[in-house]
Amino acid sequence: MSEVNDYAEKVVREFIKDITDHVFCNIQSNEELMREYQSQVHKNSLRSVNTAIGKKVSEVLELNNESESENPKSWLIKGFTQHSK
C-alpha cells in the first residue's frame, strides 16, 4: 500500500505545484467566470486582477511560494508562482 500512497502524494503535490495555472485554466474554460474576469480587468487592470487571484490561491489554500514558471497552460497569464504545502 505504501507505493500507492507515495504515488497519490506525488500526484497531489504536482497538482498543487501548478494550482495557480489550473485556476486560470478554469476561468478561461468557464463562460461565467470568464465574463466576470473580463469585467474585473476592465474595471481594474490585468495585472491587479491576476495578482489578486494568485495571492488568493496561496492564501486560501495556505500554500508556500516556491519557484516561478514562465510556461503556463492558461493563455490568461504569462507566468505564475509554483507552490508547495
Side-chain angles (χ1 to χ4, degrees), residues 18-28 33 53 57 61:
D18 294 338
I19 189 70
T20 301
D21 193 26
H22 295 298
V23 167
F24 280 96
C25 285
N26 186 57
I27 292 168
Q28 72 188 41
L33 290 177
I53 292 169
V57 166
L61 299 174

Side-chain angles (χ1 to χ4, degrees), residues 9-49:
E9 184 167 337
K10 177 183 175 182
V11 170
V12 171
R13 287 189 184 280
E14 280 297 312
F15 186 81
I16 288 171
K17 184 173 86 172
D18 294 338
I19 189 70
T20 301
D21 193 26
H22 295 298
V23 167
F24 280 96
C25 285
N26 186 57
I27 292 168
Q28 72 188 41
S29 67
N30 180 307
E31 194 175 318
E32 181 181 346
L33 290 177
M34 189 62 190
R35 268 197 308 273
E36 291 176 38
Y37 175 83
Q38 290 170 326
S39 175
Q40 289 298 320
V41 168
H42 181 72
K43 291 177 190 173
N44 300 280
S45 72
L46 179 66
R47 182 183 180 118
S48 65
V49 173

Side-chain angles (χ1 to χ4, degrees), residues 67-83:
S67 59
E68 296 294 319
S69 174
E70 295 180 3
N71 298 309
K73 292 181 178 140
S74 171
W75 45 264
L76 296 175
I77 53 177
K78 293 179 181 175
F80 62 96
T81 301
Q82 294 180 314
H83 299 285

Side-chain angles (χ1 to χ4, degrees), residues 46-63:
L46 179 66
R47 182 183 180 118
S48 65
V49 173
N50 287 359
T51 299
I53 292 169
K55 285 182 179 179
K56 194 55 73 173
V57 166
S58 180
E59 176 187 315
V60 168
L61 299 174
E62 298 177 347
L63 300 174

